[in-house]
Amino acid sequence: MSSSGDTVLSIQGVSKLYNLKRQKTAALKELDLEVRKGEFIAIMGRSGSGKTTLLNIMSCLDRPTAGKVQLDGVDVTEMSESGLNAIRRDKIGFVFQSYNLLPYLNARENVELALESKKRTKRERNARARELLATVGLEGKEENRPQQLSGGEQQRVAIARALANDPAIVLADELTGNLDGETAAEIMKFLVKLNTERGTTIIVVTHDESVASRTERILYLKGGQIVKESGGNLAKTKEGLQRHVARLEEARANEKEENADGTI
């Protein structure tokens, strides 16, 4: 368990009840989840397991019936709707299966749309959008409209848009569902790079085991509860990187000691 200082999302004892046919149905049952900054997590489960409800709670689109939700150190459980709007705008980046790009705007304009609520000039928004599109590998395609882009390219525009306001967390709902296997693998490869090189915290909700396997932690939902957790391939990669960094730091420390001894 991480300390509160490096926790970006904390869900404590969250339950969600719905009234269906005059009966209360529990979509989530006293669920606990802690996400540390810089993690890449996959959430899996069959239809009806509570994935969509959990995603809605994490994204502040729905409120829990019971329990507490904190995002980036802010308790959002009882926050006003206007406050939640600001949280969704400033703290959360969304990536959807259907991309949700406006067809009459080009790639740059679709990204700029996410920046309009900020106090930026048009020139600043333009520059930021171009920077983000370059980050996702779409330099030179800024003026292309969605219909002029492949499915994978459209998803990259959606990812650039999600990163526009430097969110505390990126939430992705079946982001590879409309892509072929090869393109889906490319998108996941990019997200892994984004996570490892920029430290972006990412949670993907998916039914695709090949997608989940490329993340760091895999959580399995059943009956509104997390019933199992396993490590993805990225966990091993990060462990290797940490060992490598530790060896470099040890070598630097030894070198400093040797240099200090040589000057005495």
Side-chain angles (χ1 to χ4, degrees):
M1 189 71 69
S2 67
S3 65
S4 59
D6 63 1
T7 298
V8 69
L9 176 66
S10 177
I11 295 177
Q12 301 168 22
V14 161
S15 296
K16 181 64 181 180
L17 302 178
Y18 292 104
N19 289 319
L20 298 175
K21 297 181 180 179
R22 297 182 180 180
Q23 290 184 335
K24 288 187 176 181
T25 301
L28 298 177
K29 301 175 183 177
E30 297 183 359
L31 185 144
D32 294 319
L33 172 61
E34 187 171 288
V35 179
R36 296 181 296 275
K37 291 181 180 179
E39 282 196 296
F40 193 166
I41 295 175
I43 295 175
M44 298 194 73
R46 294 182 178 180
S47 178
S49 63
K51 297 194 309 295
T52 300
T53 302
L54 178 56
L55 181 66
N56 288 342
I57 295 290
M58 291 190 295
S59 59
C60 299
L61 291 171
D62 203 354
R63 299 176 188 270
T65 305
K68 185 177 181 180
V69 180
Q70 287 184 303
L71 179 61
D72 203 24
V74 178
D75 189 341
V76 299
T77 314
E78 301 294 337
M79 188 172 282
S80 67
E81 192 57 39
S82 61
L84 291 177
N85 284 335
I87 289 290
R88 288 191 290 265
R89 180 192 67 213
D90 299 333
K91 300 281 188 181
I92 305 171
F94 298 93
V95 184
F96 304 95
Q97 176 179 345
S98 57
Y99 320 135
N100 285 3
L101 302 178
L102 296 179
Y104 53 85
L105 298 180
N106 61 35
R108 173 182 53 76
E109 291 166 336
N110 266 283
V111 177
E112 280 188 40
L113 204 59
L115 296 162
E116 288 191 351
S117 59
K118 296 289 187 178
K119 293 182 179 179
R120 298 176 190 249
T121 65
K122 182 173 179 58
R123 178 176 293 182
E124 288 171 338
R125 293 197 302 270
N126 185 299
R128 174 66 173 158
R130 290 180 181 278
E131 174 193 346
L132 288 164
L133 289 169
T135 298
V136 299
L138 290 179
E139 190 172 8
K141 296 193 175 183
E142 298 90 345
E143 307 306 314
N144 288 28
R145 292 190 177 185
Q147 57 268 34
Q148 297 172 309
L149 300 170
S150 68
E153 289 170 335
Q154 289 183 61
Q155 193 59 286
R156 285 173 182 258
V157 175
I159 293 169
R161 182 184 57 195
L163 297 172
N165 292 315
D166 292 317
I169 192 168
V170 171
L171 301 176
D173 184 16
E174 299 287 2
L175 81 166
T176 61
N178 287 337
L179 304 175
D180 61 73
E182 183 177 349
T183 305
E186 290 178 1
I187 291 294
M188 286 305 297
K189 183 178 179 180
F190 168 74
L191 288 178
V192 167
K193 182 179 180 181
L194 190 68
N195 173 258
T196 55
E197 294 185 2
R198 294 182 48 161
T200 304
T201 307
I202 305 172
I203 299 178
V204 297
V205 173
T206 182
H207 69 278
D208 190 333
E209 291 185 1
S210 65
V211 168
S213 68
R214 301 196 65 168
T215 67
E216 185 176 358
R217 288 169 65 196
I218 308 172
L219 308 178
Y220 299 87
L221 258 63
K222 183 179 180 180
Q225 296 178 313
I226 297 173
V227 296
K228 180 183 174 184
E229 178 175 338
S230 64
N233 295 333
L234 185 57
K236 300 174 185 177
T237 301
K238 286 189 174 181
E239 287 173 6
L241 288 172
Q242 289 172 352
R243 288 195 296 269
H244 179 64
V245 169
R247 286 195 296 269
L248 287 176
E249 290 177 347
E250 183 180 359
R252 291 193 189 101
N254 291 337
E255 185 178 354
K256 284 183 179 179
E257 287 182 8
E258 291 174 1
N259 291 338
D261 290 341
T263 58
I264 295 175

